[in-house]
Amino acid sequence: ADKQPVSNNGIAAAIIGVFTLWTLGSFLMLVVAALVVGLAFKRMPRDVVRFGAQHYWPNMLRGFVMFIVMPAAAVLLMITIVGLQLGLLVLAAYVLFLMLACLFGSLLIGAMLYKFAAKEASLEVKWQTIVLGAAVYTLLGLIPLLGWVVKLMFMLVALGALGGVWAKKVKKEES
């Protein structure tokens, strides 16, 4: 039985096909998740997007600090037997915050671009901004280095804004 050698064209086509499916799947998952969060919980996404855009650099700094400090605090807590459960809780909250930050990062991009393009007076979270943000966020991931840096910046701003909005809500409920 003669075995035909696998051509480089076939391997390249398979790699491109898998990459394309991965990118489309990522985009569709982001759009669906963002639509659910953005349209089902109208107030929180709007507050996070507006707070993120109004205080862009402070939120990026807050997000960077959260990005570094939360896992470090979780590890320090887990080293002790007493703090193991609390460390696991902090780690779970960290993972949740990161997932939400990616989602809200795309909402922030979409709202800012839509406001600029449509000459809107304020940042809004609606289905158009959600789809635009998800598309741009996904496309940024295709640009080596620079695109990843821009995505990271928006993710950090969203992480900081999430932390800021959450802290304001906790402070408001305490008073």
Side-chain angles (χ1 to χ4, degrees), residues 10-26:
I11 293 172
I15 290 172
I16 290 171
V18 168
F19 181 74
T20 302
L21 281 175
W22 179 271
T23 303
L24 285 174
S26 298

Side-chain angles (χ1 to χ4, degrees), residues 68-138:
I68 301 298
V69 170
M70 283 184 78
V75 169
L76 288 175
L77 284 168
M78 288 188 288
I79 289 173
T80 67
I81 301 299
V82 177
L84 180 63
Q85 290 83 8
L86 185 57
L88 290 172
L89 184 64
V90 169
L91 199 57
Y94 177 70
V95 170
L96 178 65
F97 267 119
L98 285 183
M99 290 189 308
L100 287 173
C102 289
L103 189 73
F104 282 104
S106 73
L107 293 178
L108 183 61
I109 289 173
M112 290 174 80
L113 287 174
Y114 191 83
K115 179 184 176 192
F116 177 75
K119 310 251 189 294
E120 294 278 325
S122 66
L123 291 168
E124 296 297 328
V125 177
K126 46 191 175 184
W127 74 266
Q128 297 95 330
T129 61
I130 292 170
V131 173
L132 175 64
V136 171
Y137 199 77
T138 302

Side-chain angles (χ1 to χ4, degrees), residues 5-17:
V6 178
S7 72
N8 287 341
N9 291 341
I11 293 172
I15 290 172
I16 290 171

